[in-house]
Amino acid sequence: MRAIEVRGLRKSYGNFIALNGINLDVDEGEVFALLGPNGAGKTTLIRILAEGLSYDSGEIRVFGESLSKKTARLIGYAPQESLAYDDLTVRENLEFYADLYDVPGKRVDELIERFKLPAKKKAKELSGGFKKRLNLAVALLYDPRVLVLDEPSTGLDVPSKRELWELIKEFREEGKTVLLATHYMEEAEALADRVAIMNEGQVIAVGTPEELKRLAGNESVIHVEGILRGTEAILREFRAIERENVLRVSVEDARKALPKVVEALVEGGSEIRSIRIEEPSLEDVFLKLTGRGLE
Amino acid sequence: MKARAVKGIVVKDLRETRRDRMAVFWIFVFPLMWVTLLGAIWGGSSPPVVVHVGAVYFNESAPFTASTLIGIMENVSVDGQRIFRITRYPDESAGLKAVKAGRVDVLLLFPQGFGENVSSGLQGKVYAYFDRSDPQKYQIASGVVKGFFSEFEREMAYRKLNITLGYVEAYLPKNLSANLSPSMLRAYMMGLIDPISLREEAVKGERPSPIKFYVTSFIGIQFLFATMLTVSNLLFEEIEKGTLRRIAASPATAWDFLVGKMLSTFIVITASILIGIGYSKAVFKETVFPGPTGWLIIALSAVFSMSLGLAIAMGTRSMKATNALVNLLSMPLLFLAAIVIPESILPRWARPIADYFPLGTAVKDLRLLEIYHRPPSEVFPDVVWIAINSLVMLLIVVLLYNWAIKRLQ
Ligand SMILES: Nc1ncnc2c1ncn2[C@@H]1O[C@H](COP(=O)(O)OP(=O)(O)OP(=O)(O)O)[C@@H](O)[C@H]1O
Ligand SMILES: [Mg+2]
C-alpha cells in the first residue's frame, strides 16, 4: 500500500517557487529519503505533509485519503529544530505534548524508557543527540504509522549519529514508514530503501541507492584527501566536487585521468595525504545530474 | 474546546514562568516597586504646613511690642508642630531681598511706634509682603498668616472688651435704663467685635485614603503594562521557538491556544496583584481587597488588556515593536485614563478617555466599589460596557490569530 502519494505539488513563497511540480510515492514500511542541497525544497514538502502548510496546487494522499486532521494523526513529525521548551524537564515537555494530543500519560513513561531519556533533566541541559531523541519521542507520542524526520542527524557527532540511525532502523523493523530529508548522502545510503534526489523544487531522480548509482554509468571517482591547492584547473576540466580537504573527480577512465589530476595538484603545491579510486556515490550522481555538489 | 489541551498550555506556561528568574523578578518586584513609589510619594498624611516668616521691627519699651507679637507667633503650634519659622531682618530692604530670593514666604514689617499704639489702645499697622510667584504657596502662606492675625485681633478685642466692661459696670448707674443691663451691653459689644462666631466641629467622613487610591492605581498599571507584556511575551516565545506552528498543527484549536495563554497570564497577574495588595497592607497598614464585583471587573479588564496585548503582538509580529507600542500606549493612558491620578484633576477633553476607555472605566469602578463602598448596582452599566469591549477585542484577536498562523507558514 502507498503510505504517501504526491502528484504535481506546487508551492511558492511570494514570487519564489519552492516546489515546482513534485511527484512522489512512498510505500508503506519503507525508509524513503529526500536527498538534496540547501534550498531544494525538502522542508517545504515535509511541512506540507506534516504541518498542514498550505500549497498552491497538486494532490496529496496519505494511505489513500487526502490531507485532513484525521490523516495528521497518522503522521508523526520531528522537525529539524528542537521542539522542547528549554526550562522544562524532558518529562514535562513530553507531558505538555501528551496533553496537546490527548495521549494517555503512561505513553510518556514508555517513550522515556524506550529512548533512554533523562526524564528530570531540563531540555536546555540536553546534548544535541538527546534533543533529537526528544524530538523523535514527541513525534512518536500518538504512535503514528508514518514518521517524517527533517535532517535527523544534522549537527550530531559521529557516535550520536550512529545511535540515531539505529533507532530509525528499528522503526522500519516495527513496520513504520519513514520519510526523511537529508543532505548527507551517507545518511541516505545508510538508511534508505529508496531515495528521491531533489533540486530546486523538483524531484530529478528516484530509486534505490544502487539504481541511482547506475545513473553515473561506468564512471569511477578519484578521491583525493590532503591540503589541496591548484584545484581550479581540475574543476574546470573535469566534473569534480571540492570540499574541505577532499576532492572527488568523476571520470570515465581513471587510469588516464589520474596522472593529470595528480600533476595539477602537485604543481599547485598541494600536500596530498591519500588518493584512491572509488565507485561513484549518490553525491557523484547528484553532481552528474545537476552539475554541482550537495553541500 | 479541549480542556486537556488548555490545561497542558497553562501548566506548561506556569512551569516556565516559575523557572524564568526575570519573570519571577518582575511579578514580585513590579507590584512592590509601584506600591512603594505611589504610596511613598502621595500616600500617608500630608506633611504639616510651615510658613517661613521674615520680620522687621523696631525696639520699643512699651508693654506690648512687635517683638512680643513675633514671640507669640513663633510659639504657635498645631499638633505639636510649630507653624511659623521666623527670621528677623535689620531693615526693610534686607527683608524684601529675602522674599524675592524665596528664603521667606512673607515679610512682616512693623513700623516705628507699633507697640506704642497698640499698648495705648490705638490701631497698630502691619505691612505684609507676600511672594506671589507660586500661587499655591501664596494661598497657604497668606491664609495662615491672616488667620493668625485675625485670631490675635479677636483675642485682643476680647481683652479690651473685658476691661471696658469692667469700667462700665463700675461707673454706670445701676438703673440707667431698664433695657440696657450690663449683660446686654456685653452681648452687643461682643456682636460688634465678633459678628459671626464660626465654630469648628469635627465630623468623621468618608475620607478617600490615598493608599487605597493608589492600590487601585497599581491594579490599573498591572493591566496597562504587565498584562499586555506578559501575554505577548508568552506568544512570542512560541513563535520564536517554532512551537506555535506545532501547536497550530496539533488537534488544539485557536480557542484552546488563546484561552490557555490567557488563563496563564491571568494567573500570573492575579498573583502579582495579590502581592501588591498584601504588600500595601504590610507596609502602609492599609489596602483594598476587592469583593466579588471587584474581581469580576478585574477579570473582564484582564481579558480586554490581554486581547489588546495579543492584538498588538500579532499585528506587529515583533517583540520589540510590541514592547515599544505597549509602552507608548500605556504611558499617556496612565494619566489620561485617570489611572494614577484622580479624574477630578483631568482636563475636560481627557474626561471621555477616562470614562470610556475600558481600563479607565474599570479602575474608576473599582474605586467606587472598594473605596467609596457604593453598591454594585451602581457600576453595573459600566461592567456591561467593559464586558462588551472585552468580547469584541477577544473576537478581533481570534481573527488575528488565524491570520497570523497563516502568515507564519
Ligand atoms: N517561509 C518562507 N518564506 C519564503 N521563502 C521560504 C520560506 N521557507 C522556505 N523558503 C525558501 O524556499 C526554498 C526551499 O526551502 P526549504 O527549507 O524547503 O529547503 P530545504 O531543502 O529544506 O533546505 P535545507 O537543506 O537548507 O533545509 C528556499 O530557497 C527557502 O529560502
Ligand atoms: Mg530543510
Side-chain angles (χ1 to χ4, degrees), chain B residues 229-291:
Chain B
L229 292 178
T230 305
V231 79
S232 50
N233 283 356
L234 284 177
L235 175 75
F236 281 120
E237 200 221 337
E238 308 277 8
I239 292 180
E240 271 165 24
K241 278 203 64 63
T243 41
L244 184 54
R245 279 206 321 247
R246 180 60 167 224
I247 295 171
S250 82
T253 62
W255 280 103
D256 297 335
F257 177 77
L258 291 173
V259 168
K261 287 287 159 197
M262 288 193 170
L263 270 178
S264 323
T265 309
F266 187 66
I267 292 172
V268 168
I269 293 301
T270 304
S272 184
I273 287 177
L274 288 176
I275 289 166
I277 288 175
Y279 178 75
S280 172
K281 180 82 192 166
V283 174
F284 299 110
K285 309 281 179 282
E286 258 187 296
T287 199
V288 165
F289 195 85

Side-chain angles (χ1 to χ4, degrees), chain A residues 13-14 16-19 36-45 47 80 150-151 181-183 198, chain B residues 407-409:
Chain A
Y13 297 107
F16 179 79
I17 299 172
L19 297 180
N38 293 118
K42 307 179 297 290
T43 301
T44 303
L45 173 58
R47 288 188 46 216
Q80 186 175 352
D150 197 358
E151 314 245 353
T182 180
H183 54 242
M198 282 185 75
Chain B
R407 298 258 315 244
L408 270 183
Q409 301 184 334

Side-chain angles (χ1 to χ4, degrees), chain B residues 58 70 77 129 154 163 180 186 200 208 213 228 246 271 308 329:
Chain B
F58 297 88
I70 291 295
S77 60
Y129 298 90
R154 203 158 66 151
I163 294 169
L180 204 63
R186 163 184 280 267
E200 234 178 87
F213 182 89
M228 288 202 234
R246 180 60 167 224
L308 186 59
L329 197 75

